[in-house]
Amino acid sequence: MQRKQWDLAFLAAPEEVAALRRVLRIHLGIWGLHDITDAAQLCMSELVANVIKHVGQGTPATLEVSLKGTHLRIAVNDPDTRALPTLVAAATDSEAGRGMALIDAVADRWGVQVHGDRKVTWCELATGLTSPNGHVGGAGVTRAEAVLDVYTTARPPRERSSSRLSVALAEEAAIDVITDFLHWLRAHGSDPDEALDRAQTRFEAEVAGTT
């Protein structure tokens, strides 16, 4: 799965935060990074809140989301190079200093970079990926991808893609694989419907066990 950086320009305002959280959740879902979505949304919200509070409402800013190695990187650009975020040892009843303290507690690392007329405040979270374009679905996903690679290689050359399968093409290939296995089961005297029911039950149990 290719996970390319995406950017989103916005105006720093409280009403924008909910929309940014929704967009981030959608993208992380597409990337298969469901397990860290809540932490990523929290960190992104605090980065944006930091701009609203210390730079000013209505400030033009940009959200950047990418992978740096196997870490998810969330960065917010703003034009104020003077208001640099710092980690404050805030008391539990204090409002000041909580934002970066939350990010420091949730993220693996964070920092600030100044580039001429802008600054970038960023944080990174571990994804559980073994490679930037890999998966976090465990052994089952790894085995399925191996089967898909073999299956698509066996297709006529005109049906192969010159690059790695997109998610849509992989879905079609997966359906082809399932269909062929159902034919195989029927040919060997097994009940395809029963096999599907058992597979669905096992899948739901494994998904429930990871949530």
Side-chain angles (χ1 to χ4, degrees):
M1 176 184 292
Q2 297 292 328
R3 299 179 175 91
K4 296 182 180 180
Q5 175 176 319
W6 59 273
D7 308 338
L8 181 61
F10 65 96
L11 295 180
E15 58 269 22
E16 290 291 315
V17 176
L20 291 171
R21 287 173 65 90
R22 285 194 297 272
V23 172
L24 181 61
R25 177 173 288 277
I26 290 170
H27 276 275
L28 294 187
I30 294 171
W31 283 1
L33 302 179
H34 307 279
D35 290 348
I36 63 169
T37 296
D38 290 343
Q41 287 182 309
L42 172 61
C43 289
M44 184 276 296
S45 298
E46 294 302 333
L47 290 175
V48 174
N50 194 70
V51 176
I52 295 171
K53 183 174 182 179
H54 297 289
V55 183
Q57 289 197 39
T59 298
T62 303
L63 171 66
E64 297 177 352
V65 180
S66 61
L67 280 184
K68 185 175 182 182
T70 58
H71 280 72
L72 177 70
R73 182 183 178 93
I74 303 171
V76 172
N77 292 248
D78 73 70
D80 193 332
T81 59
R82 298 166 300 172
L84 301 181
T86 56
L87 182 63
V88 178
T92 56
D93 60 347
S94 173
E95 291 298 325
R98 282 187 176 180
M100 298 314 298
L102 280 172
I103 291 174
D104 187 66
V106 174
D108 286 69
R109 46 185 176 260
W110 66 273
V112 184
Q113 297 171 320
V114 177
H115 301 281
D117 60 349
R118 66 186 176 94
K119 75 169 180 290
V120 182
T121 309
W122 57 269
C123 66
E124 295 177 1
L125 297 92
T127 62
L129 294 170
T130 56
S131 67
N133 296 324
H135 295 277
V136 292
V141 172
T142 301
R143 290 194 298 268
E145 187 154 275
V147 171
L148 287 175
D149 286 342
V150 172
Y151 200 82
T152 53
T153 300
R155 287 183 169 185
R158 68 177 182 275
E159 295 183 16
R160 299 177 200 160
S161 172
S162 59
S163 60
R164 190 172 182 84
L165 285 175
S166 67
V167 173
L169 290 176
E171 182 177 337
E172 289 302 315
I175 292 171
D176 288 344
V177 172
I178 294 169
T179 302
D180 285 349
F181 273 123
L182 293 176
H183 282 299
W184 184 91
L185 287 167
R186 183 180 180 185
H188 287 77
S190 298
D191 184 346
D193 290 333
E194 181 183 350
L196 279 175
D197 288 341
R198 290 168 58 192
Q200 181 70 23
T201 299
R202 183 181 299 178
F203 169 72
E204 291 174 354
E206 291 178 354
V207 170
T210 61
T211 58

